[in-house]
Amino acid sequence: MEKVKNITILGSTGSIGENSLEVISNFPDKYRVAYLSANKGIPKLVEQIRKFRPIGVAVMDQASADVIHKIYGDTVKIYIGEEGLNTIASNVEVDIVINSLVGFIGLIPTIKAIESNKRIALANKETLVAAGNIITKMLKSSRAEIIPIDSEHSAIFQCLVGEDINNVSRLILTASGGPFWKMEKENFASITISQALKHPNWKMGNKITIDSATLMNKGLEIIEAHHLFNLPLEKIEVVIHPQSIIHSMVEFVDGSIKAQLGYPDMKIPIQYALSYPERFPLSSLRLNFNDLKQMTFFEPDIDKFECLSLAYKALVNGGTSPAIMNAANEIAVELFLSQKISFDMIPKIIQKTMESIKIIPEPTLEEIIKADSEARNFVISNINNLIR
Ligand code: MN
């Protein structure tokens, strides 16, 4: 019998984390929860510990550690801070790391997991956006592997099974378009937080939901796809597909196109990232073509959704440019969510930050980390000028 695989979930109280736990609990003879991590969702983490009895957990501060310790004593190991995330991503007994951290903080734990030859089921897209060149280089000299959880990249990954990447002529990333793809641009300034948090098809965390509304999410995914599949920007296209049924497509040199379809359900890509190259049963809602009736497609408007063209620009610039863009976006989204800026300021802030900070070509990891904090500091200290 095959050995039960030990899994670490970084970010277990978020939407991907909770879906992952559901998938894992369906296969007690295949998978076991080894470590969990949470930042703000401590009450939820307390419940997850009760249910899954992990070896240990990582939390971000001493106060959270005290809460856990008071309830569970020494029955669960407690790690604190970013060092804790690195530890549970690389511990020797761990086979698979599900990285569903939000933002740049997901980068170093991914690197630690690569260094320790883990399978990484990657939902944290900022890892590849900020440091794609470094990550892909590291993967080449490691037994580690990255299997994407992001639904578009999982779709492409599934379409590529058994194929030669040299025979790919195009990747076609689908985008729902978010809640505003039909709205006139002059109304973007008055978009409220609750409007922006209402994604038509997917239930996700706040940061990615805002990214979906600005289409920065698709921009990040283009960069992610470029690194994951080692294809140039010219071979990566985006099409608006409001129903989110086709999760993405691959066109081959003979003109044949493969697609992966299904009702939006993150459990499918999560489970596939764990089970690949095998497939296991999943009681997901099955596609009913009679109910579906139609699927529609539109060209994305990059003048309206400036974040998309900023992402293209960052990828063309190369070096630290995607890291700078990502950092400025993370801060801009936080500012929007705390009602400090209007929705239309998000791309403005990112653009000005990208123009103001010097790009380092072929950066080291340290230079990427520095570019990230430089961009964050730039936005925070210049915010009044940036939104003028
Ligand atoms: Mn996605």
Side-chain angles (χ1 to χ4, degrees):
M1 216 184 83
E2 230 184 307
K3 164 182 169 298
V4 176
K5 292 202 167 79
N6 281 319
I7 301 184
T8 285
I9 306 178
L10 303 174
S12 66
T13 58
S15 152
I16 298 287
E18 290 194 289
N19 275 303
S20 299
L21 286 169
E22 226 180 298
V23 167
I24 292 168
S25 54
N26 288 334
F27 301 97
D29 54 334
K30 291 187 183 357
Y31 305 118
R32 162 168 198 267
V33 175
Y35 296 96
L36 299 172
S37 95
N39 180 11
K40 296 200 180 83
I42 299 303
K44 214 182 258 178
L45 181 65
V46 166
E47 284 317 302
Q48 292 178 346
I49 297 170
R50 199 183 311 284
K51 189 161 175 212
F52 293 94
R53 290 287 162 185
I55 305 166
V57 296
V59 293
M60 292 317 280
D61 52 50
Q62 187 61 48
S64 306
D66 293 344
V67 172
I68 308 286
H69 190 260
K70 206 170 168 202
I71 301 169
Y72 295 106
D74 294 331
T75 61
V76 62
K77 289 185 195 165
I78 305 171
Y79 303 91
I80 301 176
E82 294 186 29
E83 202 46 54
L85 295 175
N86 296 341
T87 303
I88 67 169
S90 58
N91 266 356
V92 64
E93 65 270 40
V94 173
D95 301 292
I96 304 175
V97 176
I98 298 176
N99 185 345
S100 51
L101 295 169
V102 179
F104 187 76
I105 194 170
L107 172 60
I108 305 297
T110 304
I111 289 177
K112 296 294 170 192
I114 295 173
E115 285 170 349
S116 350
N117 298 309
K118 310 299 185 198
R119 168 175 291 195
I120 301 143
L122 187 66
N124 172 272
K125 49 193 95 192
E126 294 86 351
T127 289
L128 283 167
V129 169
N133 289 329
I134 287 175
I135 297 286
T136 46
K137 200 176 286 168
M138 286 187 75
L139 283 171
K140 276 186 199 137
S141 56
S142 158
R143 277 180 288 118
E145 55 184 347
I146 288 183
I147 315 289
I149 284 183
D150 205 345
S151 62
E152 294 78 0
H153 306 79
S154 175
I156 291 166
F157 188 88
Q158 293 182 53
C159 293
L160 287 173
V161 170
E163 300 286 355
D164 183 341
I165 193 75
N166 296 311
N167 290 333
V168 170
S169 58
R170 268 199 298 173
L171 303 181
I172 303 150
L173 289 173
T174 53
S176 72
F180 309 126
W181 73 279
K182 277 182 171 166
M183 189 188 271
E184 295 298 327
K185 196 177 177 183
E186 47 269 30
N187 298 327
F188 276 18
S190 56
I191 287 171
T192 64
I193 295 172
S194 65
Q195 280 177 309
L197 286 178
K198 221 171 265 151
H199 192 275
N201 305 330
W202 294 96
K203 201 186 155 291
M204 307 174 290
N206 286 355
K207 197 267 177 178
I208 184 172
T209 306
I210 300 302
D211 283 347
S212 299
T214 61
L215 288 201
M216 178 54 92
N217 184 53
K218 212 47 58 180
L220 299 175
E221 290 182 353
I222 292 166
I223 302 175
E224 192 185 1
H226 159 75
H227 291 297
L228 270 176
F229 305 111
N230 190 25
L231 288 169
L233 185 54
E234 305 80 67
K235 290 190 174 181
I236 307 172
E237 275 177 31
V238 173
V239 62
I240 305 278
H241 166 42
Q243 295 83 11
S244 295
I245 297 296
I246 297 180
H247 300 308
S248 278
M249 300 176 258
V250 179
E251 184 192 74
F252 296 90
V253 285
D254 58 359
S256 188
I257 292 179
K258 281 190 185 176
Q260 188 258 344
L261 288 74
Y263 289 121
D265 181 351
M266 285 311 293
K267 285 196 281 299
I268 296 173
I270 290 168
Q271 182 172 302
Y272 191 73
L274 303 183
S275 72
Y276 169 81
E278 290 186 67
R279 278 188 194 274
F280 301 147
L282 177 66
S283 58
S284 54
L285 188 60
R286 300 305 153 108
L287 203 53
N288 181 329
F289 284 92
N290 298 322
D291 289 348
L292 187 64
K293 291 197 174 60
Q294 67 165 354
M295 293 196 283
T296 51
F297 304 93
F298 305 89
E299 195 181 335
D301 184 344
I302 63 167
D303 296 322
K304 190 154 99 179
F305 293 98
E306 294 160 83
C307 285
L308 199 51
S309 48
L310 290 171
Y312 282 115
K313 188 140 197 286
L315 189 49
V316 172
N317 290 345
T320 47
S321 190
I324 293 165
M325 176 196 75
N326 177 66
N329 179 56
E330 284 189 32
I331 301 294
V333 170
E334 276 174 28
L335 290 169
F336 172 69
L337 285 170
S338 54
Q339 288 181 297
K340 302 227 167 64
I341 61 165
S342 57
F343 185 83
D344 60 322
M345 282 300 134
I346 296 173
K348 302 272 175 298
I349 289 172
I350 300 166
Q351 187 184 350
K352 286 182 190 167
T353 309
M354 286 171 71
E355 286 165 2
S356 304
I357 296 179
K358 192 169 171 286
I359 298 163
I360 298 171
E362 295 179 52
T364 62
L365 180 60
E366 288 67 32
E367 286 168 326
I368 288 170
I369 294 169
K370 200 165 155 271
D372 173 86
S373 42
E374 205 181 333
R376 284 165 201 269
N377 293 336
F378 178 85
V379 177
I380 293 163
S381 38
N382 295 289
I383 186 64
N384 292 326
N385 298 326
L386 290 173
I387 60 176
R388 202 167 282 160

